[in-house]
Amino acid sequence: MTELVMIKDISQHVGETVKIGAWLADKSGKGKLQFLQLRDGTAFFQAVVFKPNFVEIYGEDEGSAKFDEIKHLGQETSVYVIGVVKEDERSKFGYELDVTNVEVIGTSQEFPITPKEHGTDFLLDHRHLWLRSKRQMAIMQIRNAVIYASYKFFQENGFIKFDSPILTGNAAENTTELFETDYFDNPAFLSQSGQLYLEAGAMALGRVFDFGPVFRAEKSKTRRHLTEFWMMDAEYPFVTHEESLDIQEAYVKEMIQSVLDNAAYALEVLERDTTKLQKYVITPFMRVSYDEVIDILNAHHGEDDANYELLKHGDDFGSPHETWISNYYGVPTFVVNYPASFKAFYMLPVPGNSERVLCADLLAPEGYGEIIGGSARETDYDLLRKKIIDFGLDPKDYDWYLDLRKFGSVPHAGFGLGLERMVTFIAGTDHIREAIPFPRMINRIKP
Ligand code: ATP
Ligand code: AMO
């Protein structure tokens, strides 16, 4: 018996003697009993040490000494624990380990994260240790399930993974949010989105996707913004905007279903209401236009808010409006055809209405707000070049991107999904900082 059993698989070993490599998350008990809360990254689980068993196995002196040693182990001591797996209804997990031996691997100093109240800054300063908590483990497992589902969805639907560069010479999105760096005495920028490169990929390989870190010098401190986050970008030729929304909807549903199937324990730890998640998988997403949304907000919002200022068609709406809209529909909702004036330069105008563009933001329900931004792309060389100039950008920086419209330009569309926003939504947590192992925010770059 040399192979370690992972805690998540313990139910497959009822009646067997197993060996677990774990850390001691907590400990309780008195007299002849010690309850060890073990964690190995896959789950938390209770092991029971009963002194008379130890005396029976090891004799009075050695058995008592071993039991006393276990009684004094500190939180986060690393151990091999050997024992027999038993079904036990009293245990939250449904199973317990009847311990026959504990081997200490590494002792632990006093662990700084105690069950007492810690402020957010303290926890973030200790992020390298905070990650060991049950809740953080659960969120990281959901993140993993979302990543796995993303690769699966795209690979199974004919997309090719196409990696865009992280060091770039031009802005993809908003020039005020660029991180600049020195590139051999010339300026370079950290990528905000792989989209422009993916468009080149789509013209070469057809359906492409990219999954990597992107960077935005976000000045605002909100529950939904990081300065470094992971974006899932996809781009596809010969696809209409409506078909693009179909792809996005299928993708989001598959991610949610995959978490329900593969991270059930994590959802339980987080006490996530899974009936809501199931509903999002089976219910068609809403599709409403920006102009309808303005009317709906104006019609309903004044009812409970006397200070509400009417929105004009053409106004950008903010995060409280987004929250209200996504709660109003109760399912993920695509808001389509925003004004061109506050969207990116590369978006294709709505046929017959140059003031609106064929784009969509997908708003998650339950107040989680935008999780996807996407659009159909301008295909005409002259119109795109004019847009670049109108947006105050230098067409020379985009010569390679403009080239894509010179050699067999085709209708194409794509989208970008913020991984951490998706994870926050599926996990049902409050703040995006817990959805990434080491969050980068305006005042935080350590650890
Ligand atoms: P566990 O799941 O290990 O029993 P937990 O429920 O405290 O621990 P954490 O991952 O530590 O889970 O964090 C849960 C939330 O509570 C976080 O959003 C954090 O802001 C806060 N928090 C975490 N740990 C503490 C603590 N020791 N004291 C106070 N607040 C905490
Ligand atoms: P957009 O700018 O809307 O679109 O970004 C796409 C998605 O990325 C996420 N996101 C963020 N997540 C965390 N912190 C941030 N600071 C942050 N900013 C954005 C959101 C958002 O929906 N190139 C286009 C996509 C495209 O059209 O293909 C783009 O980047 O979930």
Side-chain angles (χ1 to χ4, degrees):
M1 186 198 55
T2 45
E3 232 175 72
L4 294 183
V5 168
M6 286 187 270
I7 294 177
K8 73 174 173 61
D9 297 331
I10 211 92
S11 64
Q12 299 161 20
H13 296 272
V14 177
E16 293 172 26
T17 297
V18 297
K19 182 172 179 176
I20 296 170
W23 289 262
L24 186 59
D26 200 5
K27 193 171 46 81
S28 60
K30 56 174 191 250
K32 296 187 175 88
L33 273 172
Q34 282 294 312
F35 298 103
L36 312 180
Q37 303 301 326
L38 302 177
R39 59 164 193 90
D40 70 348
T42 70
F44 281 59
F45 176 62
Q46 180 164 281
V48 184
V49 188
F50 187 45
K51 190 172 174 181
N53 285 353
F54 268 51
V55 170
E56 197 183 317
I57 301 169
Y58 301 102
E60 179 66 45
D61 291 351
E62 198 188 335
S64 300
K66 269 181 167 295
F67 184 81
D68 282 346
E69 189 196 1
I70 293 167
K71 233 162 97 174
H72 293 104
L73 295 180
Q75 186 186 346
E76 293 307 319
T77 302
S78 48
V79 283
Y80 287 126
V81 179
I82 297 155
V84 183
V85 182
K86 297 231 162 104
E87 259 178 281
D88 193 320
E89 279 174 14
R90 289 167 302 176
S91 148
K92 235 183 129 187
F93 209 69
Y95 302 91
E96 257 179 14
L97 194 71
D98 213 342
V99 178
T100 53
N101 199 7
V102 175
E103 295 168 23
V104 172
I105 307 167
T107 56
S108 176
Q109 297 183 12
E110 198 173 330
F111 196 62
I113 302 182
T114 57
K116 75 176 192 305
E117 287 293 305
H118 293 298
T120 305
D121 280 334
F122 180 89
L123 291 168
L124 287 169
D125 287 343
H126 293 82
R127 181 65 175 164
H128 51 300
L129 302 176
W130 184 25
L131 284 165
R132 298 181 184 201
S133 81
K134 197 186 219 169
R135 178 183 155 86
Q136 302 307 314
M137 176 202 67
I139 298 171
M140 290 305 129
Q141 288 177 349
I142 288 174
R143 181 182 168 102
N144 179 60
V146 169
I147 293 170
Y148 180 78
S150 294
Y151 277 96
K152 187 164 171 285
F153 177 84
F154 286 106
Q155 295 290 355
E156 286 177 357
N157 285 282
F159 286 74
I160 284 199
K161 173 82 159 65
F162 182 84
D163 302 307
S164 56
I166 285 175
L167 285 171
T168 67
N170 50 256
E173 298 296 317
N174 184 341
T175 48
T176 61
E177 289 171 1
L178 277 175
F179 279 113
E180 189 172 327
T181 181
D182 174 62
Y183 192 73
F184 308 111
D185 300 330
N186 283 310
F189 308 101
L190 298 184
S191 176
Q192 297 172 301
S193 157
Q195 181 206 320
L196 306 189
Y197 295 96
L198 272 190
E199 288 184 54
M203 304 299 141
L205 297 155
R207 295 177 159 208
V208 284
F209 76 106
D210 179 22
F211 196 17
V214 294
F215 307 86
R216 297 194 184 180
E218 299 279 359
K219 303 273 167 17
S220 54
K221 282 191 190 173
T222 80
R223 292 187 300 123
R224 310 186 317 116
H225 289 94
L226 295 165
T227 55
E228 174 180 311
F229 64 98
W230 283 65
M231 177 126 68
M232 221 309 308
D233 261 316
E235 198 72 30
Y236 17 81
F238 310 110
V239 162
T240 65
H241 192 238
E242 276 300 305
E243 289 164 344
S244 173
L245 300 189
D246 294 341
I247 293 172
Q248 294 171 47
E249 180 165 342
Y251 170 44
V252 169
K253 287 184 165 168
E254 178 143 333
M255 277 186 284
I256 299 173
Q257 186 61 55
S258 178
V259 173
L260 285 165
D261 293 342
N262 302 313
Y265 173 74
L267 292 169
E268 195 188 312
V269 166
L270 295 165
E271 296 175 8
R272 181 64 165 114
D273 182 348
T274 50
T275 55
K276 284 192 178 148
L277 295 179
Q278 275 150 3
K279 175 179 140 194
Y280 307 145
V281 174
I282 56 173
T283 314
F285 292 180
M286 288 297 300
R287 296 180 186 189
V288 288
S289 74
Y290 157 88
D291 285 295
E292 284 172 78
V293 165
I294 293 287
D295 291 339
I296 291 167
L297 280 167
N298 283 343
H300 290 266
H301 221 67
E303 289 167 2
D304 52 359
D305 179 2
N307 299 321
Y308 176 77
E309 283 183 29
L310 287 182
L311 288 163
K312 290 191 287 299
H313 288 261
D315 285 350
D316 195 0
F317 48 75
S319 151
H321 299 112
E322 261 182 37
T323 307
W324 191 89
I325 284 294
S326 67
N327 283 330
Y328 180 71
Y329 289 109
V331 288
T333 299
F334 287 106
V335 179
V336 305
N337 302 357
Y338 281 84
S341 58
F342 56 78
K343 287 292 183 183
F345 68 87
Y346 49 71
M347 295 184 181
L348 187 68
V350 170
N353 182 359
S354 63
E355 291 188 359
R356 297 286 180 269
V357 279
L358 281 176
C359 69
D361 285 353
L362 180 64
L363 310 184
E366 302 176 61
Y368 283 97
E370 183 196 324
I371 50 173
I372 294 185
S375 69
R377 322 302 191 190
E378 178 57 75
T379 54
D380 182 86
Y381 177 90
D382 294 322
L383 295 175
L384 182 61
R385 191 169 186 282
K386 182 175 180 309
K387 269 277 207 58
I388 289 173
I389 295 166
D390 290 349
F391 273 67
L393 302 166
D394 185 348
K396 279 211 283 308
D397 291 339
Y398 295 89
D399 50 5
W400 67 270
Y401 181 63
L402 282 159
D403 265 359
L404 303 175
R405 278 70 182 167
K406 284 188 194 165
F407 306 103
S409 194
V410 291
H412 62 290
F415 68 92
L417 170 132
L419 171 66
E420 290 74 15
R421 291 204 183 160
M422 189 65 192
V423 171
T424 305
F425 159 54
I426 297 186
T429 53
D430 290 342
H431 200 294
I432 198 165
R433 66 183 161 228
E434 291 179 85
I436 186 163
F438 292 95
R440 297 290 177 249
M441 292 172 296
I442 190 161
N443 292 325
R444 183 158 297 275
I445 194 146
K446 195 185 161 211

